Amino acid sequence: MGKNLVQKILEAHLKEGELKVGEEVGIRIDQTLTQDATGTMAYLQFEAMGLTEVKTDLSVSYVDHNTVQVGFENADDHAYLQSVAAKYGIVFSRPGNGICHQVHLERFGKPGTTMIGSDSHTPTGGGIGQIAIGAGGLDVAVAMGGGFFYLPAPKVYKVNLTGELKPWITAKDVILEMLETLSTKGNVGVILEYGGPGMATLTVPERATITNMGAEMGVTTSIFPSDDETRKFLKAQGREGDWVELGPDGDATYDRQIDINLSEIEPLTAAPHSPGNIKKVSELAGMKVDQVLIGSCTNSSYKDLVTAAKILKGRKVHPKVSLGVAPGSRQVMQMLAKEGYLADLIESGARILESACGFCIGNSVSPGSGKVSIRTSNRNFEGRSGTKDAQVYLTSCEVAAAAAIEGEFADPRKLGLEYPSIMMPEQYVIDDSMFIFPAPKLKDAVIVRGPNIGEPPRNEKLPQDLKGEVMLKVGDKITTDHIMPAGPRLKYRSNVKKYSTFVFENVDSAFHERCSKNRDSGIHNIIVAGESYGQGSSREHAALCPMYLGVKAVVARSLERIHAANLVNFGIVPLTFKNPADHDVISQGDSLEVVNLRGAIEKGEVVKLMDKTNGKTIECDANLSERQRGIVLAGGLLNYTNSN
Ligand code: MIC
Ligand code: SF4
């Protein structure tokens, strides 16, 4: 029987288990990436496991998130990261070099390889034919040390593309259409494989926009075959040698097929406060806009920004709009500068922002209260922009640039603008001087640890019995931005004691105090949640900090993939209700008990939660593989690795 592309790449990397949907498999990882906000903890954990050298083909440490540098903390983290990279053989991408996913696609992504990255948008690499998966920092640390990456063998859905995008319709609209089809929940354990005759009409950066935002659907990753477009892109990046042709067999089978006719797509937007809240731009026409931000790892390629520059050339940003533009990489910035597009943007009144995550993670240019912000990024969760009541809409660069001129939402097809057709460069500017490549003489580097760098905390072994209290009860779609806010709090990523005081800050600001009190008196803390708990980022601090606050179990209707894996890695038991209606039975403040929790986990049995407050017993599943059971019992992956 023919194989699909996902099966081919996974089989070539399979080290443990069998590729049977749902069964845990261990795969070899060729490349890893980290970014500074997750990377500092990942490298601290790498050191704590006693690892001394990376064993992957390539590991890159990017600095792109914490580049605001108010206070000493970020700069201290950067110095630590640079010294660790030198010592252990990791490529270091200096601040200013750009956003990890954009830069990796340009300079390192290689068809047919596997990659994990401590960032949920690592699937951007799928645009160039990689199996690229977002993971917690601890999983990345293990993979850097040569350990396998474990995942349930995925279901593979084929996305069959036909037709061709019409003028003003973009890859962003394709992925927003996909979000409308699949929504942001219920897609755990799925890989999307794009194909069909329409695929050839999309360039690699456009494909990368599509695979990037697959993260918002909660799929494991998304991938495009490697074809002539891939070759052209790699050639223009001076890396034709990295190209291989890769695709599914003609008679490949899939678990489901989704058909998308590119010719029928319209300009779309994700309205507040979810990337899955899709509306037509035409429906919103006329709505006043206060801020427009172009950039982020979803839409900051050369083509994206030249498009914006061509639309803005000779025009002025509306007086009531603040327009910010953040090129995705130094390569993009250099090309815009050399080709005059930067001047066009500046002349229009755009504020040129650093090539970094910046606005996307809410650590700069937050909108005013209640204001409308159009962004080309991928997430518009409530408060993520740094302003709780801001109304954030996600769109293409085309729609964003048009709104910057008009001062309101407008369908760009109706404005009488000339369509900016753009030639893809035959040769990108190649200047790798902001990377520091590993060299034998760097191995003696002394690791630099400023006062912001703490020890990675460890959990204790899983207690025999769970005797605890429901510290918080929440509903559906709780994101990791709700659990562990980023923005101005990001700088405490390497100081867990401090960072943990902000857990659930915007949901229930007394959460951490209640937890600390219980923890100090030996009462186990428990979180109860609805569907799709832990959506969004890969940040392991959304498990690590609750662990530090004495959270021992999360009981939810369903859990998202990366977050569930992070809970296991930090020894928090991830439980799901056998009967989803039982979510209603438990109240915040209830006392819960599980007699012999260790025994139930050891044997993979149903976990019986006794609600001592109302006398009811609630059955839950732990859904753990044998390996994960060992990790949870040991109190997390650090303890497990050190004892094996
Ligand atoms: C995000 O977009 O939410 C982030 C910030 O890039 C996170 C990583 C982090 O929290 O450091 C992600 O996507 O994993
Ligand atoms: Fe950075 Fe935003 Fe991309 Fe996350 S989603 S990696 S914060 S640009």
Side-chain angles (χ1 to χ4, degrees):
M1 205 170 56
K3 289 186 181 136
N4 59 49
L5 176 58
V6 172
Q7 284 166 334
K8 286 186 187 180
I9 302 179
L10 288 181
E11 266 179 20
H13 290 82
L14 193 66
K15 290 289 168 190
E16 275 178 31
E18 251 185 279
L19 278 177
K20 280 197 199 146
V21 172
E23 280 188 24
E24 189 175 76
V25 292
I27 57 168
R28 179 170 52 80
I29 294 300
D30 301 319
Q31 301 191 343
T32 63
L33 71 76
T34 55
Q35 41 89 340
D36 51 326
T38 53
T40 309
M41 189 51 67
Y43 294 108
L44 285 167
Q45 293 169 147
F46 181 88
E47 293 186 278
M49 284 186 284
L51 300 167
T52 52
E53 200 183 18
V54 287
K55 302 247 169 67
T56 48
D57 297 347
L58 175 83
S59 287
V60 190
S61 169
Y62 292 92
V63 179
D64 53 2
H65 280 62
N66 276 324
T67 55
V68 177
Q69 299 178 219
V70 178
F72 63 90
E73 293 90 345
N74 298 163
D76 275 9
D77 283 359
H78 302 171
Y80 168 75
L81 289 168
Q82 183 164 347
S83 61
V84 163
K87 195 162 185 73
Y88 300 129
I90 297 150
V91 179
F92 183 67
S93 174
R94 300 183 60 196
N97 207 25
I99 305 174
C100 54
H101 309 303
Q102 173 66 26
V103 179
H104 205 86
L105 190 79
E106 291 166 357
R107 305 304 307 136
F108 301 116
K110 210 167 155 181
T113 58
T114 52
M115 166 159 89
I116 62 168
S118 59
D119 192 281
S120 63
H121 291 104
T122 303
T124 311
I128 206 164
Q130 285 188 293
I131 291 272
I133 303 178
L138 193 44
D139 283 331
V140 178
V142 168
M144 283 191 289
F148 306 139
F149 176 65
Y150 294 89
L151 72 162
K155 285 190 194 151
V156 184
Y157 294 178
K158 173 166 183 179
V159 186
N160 184 43
L161 301 174
T162 54
E164 194 169 348
L165 291 173
K166 298 223 172 93
W168 299 104
I169 320 293
T170 69
K172 184 63 159 280
D173 302 304
V174 177
I175 190 61
L176 294 176
E177 177 82 26
M178 283 294 294
L179 271 150
E180 170 80 336
T181 310
L182 285 185
S183 90
T184 58
K185 62 184 174 66
N187 306 309
V188 173
V190 169
I191 295 188
L192 298 174
E193 182 176 318
Y194 287 82
M199 182 189 101
T201 65
L202 299 172
T203 61
V204 167
E206 288 173 310
R207 295 173 185 183
T209 293
I210 294 172
T211 59
N212 169 283
M213 241 184 125
E216 275 46 74
M217 292 181 267
V219 295
T220 304
T221 189
S222 311
I223 187 168
F224 276 81
S226 169
D227 60 1
D228 202 47
E229 268 304 319
T230 322
R231 190 190 57 76
K232 274 195 245 160
F233 177 79
L234 282 167
K235 183 162 185 259
Q237 290 285 353
R239 302 201 285 124
E240 200 177 1
D242 284 346
W243 183 70
V244 281
E245 186 162 18
L246 276 178
D249 291 334
D251 55 347
T253 55
Y254 295 88
D255 296 287
R256 177 176 166 188
Q257 177 161 322
I258 297 163
D259 290 298
I260 299 273
N261 184 345
L262 298 174
S263 317
E264 286 173 1
I265 296 179
E266 289 208 38
L268 297 172
T269 180
H273 295 287
S274 167
N277 188 13
I278 306 300
K279 306 248 180 293
K280 286 184 183 154
V281 168
S282 55
E283 282 171 38
L284 299 172
M287 185 177 147
K288 295 276 172 266
V289 170
D290 305 286
Q291 182 187 56
V292 174
L293 294 170
I294 297 177
S296 93
C297 58
T298 316
N299 279 120
S300 59
S301 67
Y302 171 83
K303 183 176 180 220
D304 282 325
L305 294 205
V306 173
T307 303
K310 285 198 168 188
I311 296 172
L312 287 156
K313 186 179 166 82
R315 299 188 171 87
K316 293 288 175 204
V317 172
H318 189 278
K320 292 217 165 126
V321 173
S322 174
L323 167 68
V325 179
S329 68
R330 182 163 163 269
Q331 180 184 72
V332 173
M333 181 80 105
Q334 278 174 301
M335 291 180 67
L336 293 180
K338 286 199 167 131
E339 295 172 9
Y341 296 114
L342 199 54
D344 298 336
L345 287 167
I346 294 169
E347 273 165 33
S348 76
R351 298 164 64 180
I352 306 302
L353 309 172
E354 192 181 7
S355 285
C357 298
F359 71 82
C360 177
I361 192 54
N363 65 11
S364 57
V365 283
S366 297
S369 50
K371 297 292 185 205
V372 172
S373 177
I374 292 191
R375 299 170 170 223
T376 65
S377 47
N378 46 40
R379 290 186 175 145
N380 58 346
F381 304 140
E382 190 176 7
R384 181 176 161 106
S385 65
T387 305
K388 189 141 199 271
D389 59 358
Q391 306 294 309
V392 177
Y393 291 81
L394 308 174
T395 71
S396 65
C397 292
E398 284 75 346
V399 171
I405 301 165
E406 298 294 313
E408 57 187 39
F409 251 105
D411 184 335
R413 294 172 300 184
K414 309 239 164 88
L415 296 177
L417 299 168
E418 191 191 330
Y419 179 62
S421 59
I422 285 142
M423 295 290 290
M424 291 301 283
E426 288 200 359
Q427 178 71 64
Y428 287 92
V429 167
I430 296 167
D431 170 4
D432 287 337
S433 58
M434 288 288 274
F435 291 109
I436 301 176
F437 290 93
K441 65 172 185 335
L442 295 178
K443 289 207 159 170
D444 302 328
V446 175
I447 296 186
V448 183
R449 292 173 213 273
N452 194 41
I453 313 270
E455 284 284 305
R458 284 173 192 260
N459 204 347
E460 59 191 10
K461 275 192 182 165
L462 186 73
Q464 195 63 42
D465 303 316
L466 183 77
K467 288 191 175 162
E469 185 183 346
V470 179
M471 278 292 96
L472 187 71
K473 182 178 171 187
V474 285
D476 294 345
K477 292 197 194 177
I478 291 297
T479 71
T480 53
D481 280 280
H482 289 110
I483 306 170
M484 204 57 267
R489 308 303 187 202
L490 255 188
K491 66 179 183 182
Y492 299 118
R493 283 284 173 91
S494 20
N495 180 346
V496 171
K497 188 171 177 207
K498 175 85 182 168
Y499 198 33
S500 62
T501 62
F502 304 114
V503 177
F504 281 117
E505 188 189 13
N506 300 320
V507 176
D508 177 346
S509 57
F511 177 83
H512 97 271
E513 269 170 44
R514 290 202 304 276
C515 281
S516 311
K517 215 160 133 209
N518 268 359
R519 178 198 56 198
D520 298 343
S521 24
I523 301 169
H524 303 141
N525 294 319
I526 298 160
I527 295 168
V528 172
E531 271 188 62
S532 192
Y533 182 75
Q535 277 193 358
S537 83
S538 69
R539 68 190 67 145
E540 62 187 356
H541 291 77
L544 170 57
C545 292
M547 176 275 269
Y548 183 79
L549 294 177
V551 173
K552 295 287 177 208
V554 172
V555 195
R557 281 193 172 128
S558 66
L559 291 149
E560 288 299 311
R561 176 188 65 89
I562 309 180
H563 187 61
N566 284 337
L567 290 174
V568 170
N569 282 352
F570 292 100
I572 298 178
V573 187
L575 295 172
T576 49
F577 294 106
K578 268 187 124 31
N579 173 8
D582 282 345
H583 177 261
D584 304 336
V585 172
I586 306 181
S587 306
Q588 187 162 313
D590 282 4
S591 295
L592 298 185
E593 196 173 303
V594 180
V595 177
N596 196 15
L597 174 66
R598 279 191 76 86
I601 297 295
E602 243 155 21
K603 295 194 195 113
E605 288 171 350
V606 168
V607 173
K608 290 190 177 144
L609 268 182
M610 281 188 305
D611 190 325
K612 310 263 294 180
T613 310
N614 61 27
K616 304 228 165 93
T617 299
I618 294 151
E619 295 199 334
C620 298
D621 285 320
N623 282 326
L624 300 169
S625 68
E626 201 183 322
R627 184 189 62 90
Q628 289 178 314
R629 295 209 289 267
I631 297 173
V632 167
L633 290 167
L637 187 55
L638 270 188
N639 296 348
Y640 179 79
T641 310
N642 286 147
S643 66
N644 274 289

